């Protein structure tokens, strides 16, 4: 089994760390690239009925800074703004 010198090991470790750090810094964080939630599945056919969202905790953060319990609550709130 071949042995590596300390300089080779230092180079390999530092290049791996540099790649992980800099790949996240220069990554595009445009909100337009983020997936949109499938809100149509939560809308009730009857506009006067209350939507029934599941009691599941999977937080969704809106661009307004508000955090919702899950995407159903987010979609219902967006739907209320449209009406």
């Amino acid at each position: 089994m071949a042995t590596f010198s300390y300089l080779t090991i230092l180079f390999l470790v530092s290049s791996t760390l540099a790649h992980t750090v800099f790949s996240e810094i220069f990554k595009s964080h445009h909100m337009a690239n983020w997936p949109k939630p499938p809100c149509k599945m939560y809308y009730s056919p009857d506009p006067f009925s209350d939507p029934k969202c599941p009691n599941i905790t999977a937080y969704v953060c809106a661009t307004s800074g508000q955090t919702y319990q899950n995407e159903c609550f987010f979609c219902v709130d967006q739907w209320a703004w449209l009406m």
Side-chain angles (χ1 to χ4, degrees):
M1 186 150 130
T3 58
F4 292 108
S5 68
Y6 289 114
L7 187 59
T8 305
I9 293 173
L10 177 67
F11 172 74
L12 292 173
V13 170
S14 62
S15 64
T16 303
L17 291 175
H19 174 71
T20 56
V21 169
F22 289 118
S23 65
E24 187 63 31
I25 290 174
F26 297 115
K27 190 176 183 182
S28 176
H29 294 290
H30 296 292
M31 286 184 277
N33 297 340
W34 294 359
K36 305 291 185 223
C39 289
K40 289 182 181 179
M41 65 187 282
Y42 299 114
Y43 295 156
S44 173
D46 182 16
F48 299 108
S49 69
D50 289 333
K52 293 175 178 53
C53 291
N55 192 17
I56 297 172
T57 303
Y59 295 115
V60 175
C61 297
T63 56
S64 63
Q66 187 170 358
T67 304
Y68 298 93
Q69 182 177 351
N70 58 39
E71 70 181 14
C72 178
F73 289 104
F74 170 77
C75 292
V76 168
D77 192 43
Q78 295 302 312
W79 190 29
W81 280 98
L82 296 175
M83 296 188 113

